[in-house]
Amino acid sequence: MGDVEQPCEKCHGKRYNEEALSVSSHARSIYDILQLIIGEAVDLFDDPSLKEAIQNLIDVNLGYVKLGQSLDTFSGGELQRLKIVKIIHQTTDNLLILDEPSTGLHEADVLNLLSLFKKLLKKK
């Protein structure tokens, strides 16, 4: 049997009550902001740390993902790239083990991956 989804009758699948949805930032509710694709959100925020985190997501080719996208919808490769972004953004030393990170990637994506590895090495 396939998955079945039933939107909430109160919030209609927005995950927030009316009070939370009434608060806005940049003329958008929290729901509207979480529906933005990362590539669209890069210029929305002013905080340098947040801008850097969003840019890192774009650098690992996750610019097409929604800000509020559930982790259970990510592929294995997307999750691996998300972990790389987390490590790039942290200041602590980490050991990163990648299991065949270039398998199935287009040649252009392999070049992006190599650039990402160089960025990781520069941070250390």
Side-chain angles (χ1 to χ4, degrees):
M1 235 176 141
D3 293 342
V4 176
E5 289 187 28
Q6 179 69 33
C8 172
E9 293 177 10
K10 280 190 165 187
C11 72
H12 305 287
K14 292 185 176 181
R15 301 184 302 186
Y16 298 95
N17 64 26
E18 288 300 319
E19 182 181 357
L21 291 171
S22 70
V23 176
S24 66
S25 176
H26 303 283
R28 297 175 181 178
S29 72
I30 188 169
Y31 175 77
D32 295 331
I33 290 174
L34 291 176
Q35 292 304 304
L36 287 175
I37 293 172
I38 289 169
E40 299 170 339
V42 70
D43 295 324
L44 186 65
F45 303 103
D46 298 326
D47 181 82
S49 180
L50 189 53
K51 281 180 104 49
E52 179 186 352
I54 291 172
Q55 187 58 52
N56 286 337
L57 289 167
I58 292 169
D59 290 347
V60 297
N61 293 330
L62 289 176
Y64 59 88
V65 173
K66 289 183 180 179
L67 285 175
Q69 186 169 329
S70 176
L71 286 177
D72 63 354
T73 64
F74 282 62
S75 71
E78 289 169 333
L79 287 171
Q80 206 169 47
R81 287 181 279 154
L82 193 59
K83 288 177 187 176
I84 291 171
V85 169
K86 180 182 173 189
I87 290 170
I88 289 173
H89 203 66
Q90 290 175 340
T91 56
T92 59
D93 288 335
N94 289 296
L95 172 64
L96 179 62
I97 299 173
L98 301 172
D99 180 27
E100 301 181 31
S102 64
T103 300
L105 290 181
H106 185 273
E107 287 180 29
D109 291 328
V110 172
L111 293 175
N112 288 337
L113 186 64
L114 291 173
S115 296
L116 179 64
F117 289 160
K118 289 176 185 175
K119 187 174 183 177
L120 275 169
L121 291 171
K122 283 180 184 177
K123 284 207 89 156
K124 298 301 170 192

